[in-house]
Amino acid sequence: GYIRKDQTILDLCEEMGLRPPSECRRGNCLSCSGKLLPESTTSVHTVDETGDCNVFLCDDARREGFLLTCVSYVTGPGVVLHLEQAHEAYKVQYVKRFKKKDVEVLGVEASAQAMREWGERNPAKFIGIVEKQFAESGSSEKGAESVSEEAGEGPRGRIQGDASES
């Protein structure tokens, strides 16, 4: 079909009778993800409602050719797309990205900070959890190393579970 300069790829698809998935129409949810295929002879320009280019997709997703059809515009003839790529885009945007070691370390640090902040806001509950952990382990005279290993898994789940009470 013929596409106007002010017409998004998603709008064109719908005008042609196609019904690719879409939810937000603002470039925020990934549901309308498509993938620009290598045989394309022209590019696609992406702009969100604020005028920023590709603000939602990470660099890896854009490098792999993913785009959001609700905020993407064809710049010339010869665009070849694969629609309905939300699952694949999600894997690149989140799964692959958060499996990287530096991101994993940041997650652990953020979790530790949240636990510490919760413990500071709820000292009596935190002390109770730690004391219960010692009692369940059968000894309060363990070395600091083994206590920190147990506390890393034991209280964490309980603290996060109780965090909504603060």
Side-chain angles (χ1 to χ4, degrees), residues 35-44 74-81:
K35 188 169 185 177
L36 189 64
L37 298 178
E39 55 267 26
S40 293
T41 58
T42 193
S43 64
V44 171
V74 175
T75 59
V79 169
V80 182
L81 292 174

Side-chain angles (χ1 to χ4, degrees), residues 94-157:
Y94 296 110
V95 178
K96 286 169 96 175
R97 199 165 111 204
F98 292 122
K99 282 187 176 181
K100 294 179 181 175
K101 198 65 172 170
D102 57 335
V103 174
E104 184 179 326
V105 168
L106 289 174
V108 170
E109 290 172 357
S111 179
Q113 181 178 352
M115 288 171 39
R116 184 176 55 252
E117 290 171 1
W118 183 88
E120 290 169 358
R121 288 190 313 270
N122 304 282
K125 289 180 181 179
F126 182 76
I127 291 169
I129 290 169
V130 172
E131 287 176 347
K132 184 177 179 185
Q133 195 71 23
F134 278 124
E136 289 174 359
S137 70
S139 171
S140 62
E141 297 186 19
K142 291 188 173 194
E145 189 174 296
S146 64
V147 169
S148 67
E149 286 175 12
E150 288 180 18
E153 289 303 313
R156 186 176 97 205

